[in-house]
Amino acid sequence: GFGGGRLPTWAISQCPLVHGNLVIRVPVIPGFNNTLPEMQAIIDFASSLPGVNEMHFLPYHNLGAEKYRMMGLEYAFDGQAGILTGEIEAYMSYARSKGLKVLKDG
C-alpha cells in the first residue's frame, strides 16, 4: 500500500463503520507521495470506503521553515520548493472521476 503501512489503511477502513461522513485530507509531499501512481492509489482506496465522498489535497509548503530555525531545530525539507497548483490538478481530476468532491488547501 501507499506509504508502506498496513495499520493506517486498516484504521481508516474502520472509520466509516463508526462515522458516517468522512473527509479524507491528504498532504501532498515532494519525494513521498507527489506522483500520479501514488495519488491514484490513495484516491482509489479512499473512494472505495463507504461514507467517503470528499477529499482535500494539502500541498506542501515551506512556511514552517522559519519557525524551526527560530527554535534552533533543523528543518528536514529546508530548500524544498512548495507544490505548485498545476501539480495537483491531475490528482483533483482523478478524484472527481471517482465521484469525490475535491478541495485544494482544505
Side-chain angles (χ1 to χ4, degrees):
F2 45 87
R6 286 189 175 158
L7 182 59
T9 56
W10 177 84
I12 292 169
S13 72
Q14 300 306 299
C15 287
L17 303 176
V18 178
H19 305 285
N21 241 349
L22 293 178
V23 175
I24 304 294
R25 295 171 53 90
V26 182
V28 181
I29 304 169
F32 180 72
N33 66 354
N34 190 25
T35 67
L36 188 56
E38 190 74 22
M39 280 296 167
Q40 284 176 330
I42 293 169
I43 293 163
D44 288 344
F45 174 71
S47 66
S48 75
L49 299 173
V52 173
N53 45 22
E54 189 169 342
M55 180 172 271
H56 297 179
F57 293 95
L58 312 170
Y60 166 80
H61 56 73
N62 55 11
L63 297 176
E66 185 58 30
K67 289 180 186 177
Y68 272 73
R69 276 192 281 282
M70 289 171 51
M71 295 185 296
L73 300 173
E74 182 181 341
Y75 189 66
F77 280 94
D78 201 20
Q80 177 69 52
I83 301 289
L84 301 174
T85 299
E87 294 180 80
I88 293 182
E89 291 300 322
Y91 311 150
M92 294 173 65
S93 177
Y94 186 74
R96 283 188 199 101
S97 79
K98 294 293 188 170
L100 295 171
K101 176 182 173 188
V102 298
L103 183 66
K104 184 178 80 63
D105 298 327

